[in-house]
Amino acid sequence: MDPLEALVAQIQGLSSTSSDVNRLHSILKQADDLLRSKSTRLPPLLTQLDPSIHSLGFLYILDAYMTSPITKTQAETAVPIATRFIGACSDQIRLAPEKFLSVCRRLKDQVMLLETPIRGVAPLFTALRKVQVSAEHLTPLHSEFLLLCLLSKCYKTGLSILDDDVFEVNHPRDFFLYCYYGGMICIGMKCFQKALDLLHNVVTAPMSVINAIAVEAYKKYILVSLIRNGQFSTSLPKYSSSAAQRNLKNFCQPYVELANTYGNGKIAELEAFVKTNEEKFESDSNLGLVKQAVSSMYKRNIQRLTQTYLTLSLQDIANTVQLNSPKEAEMHVLQMIQDGEIYATINQKDGMVRFLEDPEQYKTCEMIEHIDSSIQRIMALSRKLTAMDEQISCDQLYLSKAGRERQRYDFDDFDVPQKFNI
């Protein structure tokens, strides 16, 4: 019998019980080289298997097929097969997680080869949920999924996984890319505070040397800070790595200078600086974000007026903020009212703007529910941090490393939880 046909027969006969599946796993490991050497003959074999029943065997054959170089025509065949497998496969895939990750990455590569990244969004979302141990676990597929969401402009779909609180990370690169791509998706959705938080995680994460992801994140972090807060501080928090504190600014000098120019509050100077460095910003794919930062200066200047005046004409606003006409000033004010950035009314007859106080009284049912939800989340986070602190305090690797750094130590030197005291 042909070796490949014999292998298919074994897959069909050893996919029912857990002991059979473990035995099949050993057989498939030994047959891996054979499968890779016969990759062109593999697609017909997949039609003889049910991905929901023969998941492990299907995975090995599909991985061997997709690992070989594939043309656009072959990708058109492979993508539907991989999509169907990911949707139907059982927990058998947990026996070969690296194979499953490889198939998912190949699927991402092939939908990008076909220039249809949207075809990979739903399968990769399904895949990452299948390999996740819990919602707190960051998988290598998170960043791949977010990349496809970015390329296909499915920002809302990408946003759905960014609400999960992540506490378990296997590889630092996965975390860097997850936060970077997540920040870009939040920028696309105009969720600038969430974007700022994610980009902040990248630039303040532990790193021994500066990496390209952190540099690109820092550029966007500066711009989003200007858009969201109207200011930027070049000083990173103390918990940032020394490499980031020393070197990030050096790699992002035009952006730091842009922030300094923005801080002067003079729109003409800012626009002139942007014009001078337009080619640099465009090569970084940040020109659109830079233009949003310039536009935000008008908003900041209008917000400053609300702190000084109760009533002001549209003409005066245009003159003070350096807009071209009262009509342009009216459009900015209306947009800010709509976005909840200021509270004001416009009298169309005489062109006067009346600035108002924040009408929120913080006593509606919705606001009370929002505050209660925030408190509950902070309490849950506090409990999680306490448990993690307790776990690290008793970790032998941590204690030995701390001991080497201090030359000598005993348990009195560390905050060991009471229940572990002898």
Side-chain angles (χ1 to χ4, degrees), residues 44 55 64 66 158 247 257 294 322 371:
S55 298
M66 296 184 74
N247 302 315
E257 291 174 13
V294 173
Q322 301 174 49
I371 293 172

Side-chain angles (χ1 to χ4, degrees), residues 129-148:
R129 290 304 188 202
K130 287 192 174 186
V131 299
Q132 263 188 318
V133 179
S134 70
E136 297 177 349
H137 177 221
L138 184 70
T139 73
L141 294 180
H142 275 74
S143 57
E144 308 283 11
F145 168 71
L146 290 174
L147 175 59
L148 290 183

Side-chain angles (χ1 to χ4, degrees), residues 314-315 317-319 322-331:
L314 289 169
Q315 182 64 61
I317 292 175
N319 294 339
Q322 301 174 49
L323 290 166
N324 295 325
S325 66
K327 188 65 178 176
E328 198 173 335
E330 183 181 4
M331 295 305 296

Side-chain angles (χ1 to χ4, degrees), residues 98 101 131 133 136-140 166-175:
E98 291 304 319
L101 292 176
V131 299
V133 179
E136 297 177 349
H137 177 221
L138 184 70
T139 73
V166 173
F167 293 101
E168 300 171 29
V169 180
N170 293 336
H171 303 289
R173 185 174 180 274
D174 296 337
F175 178 75

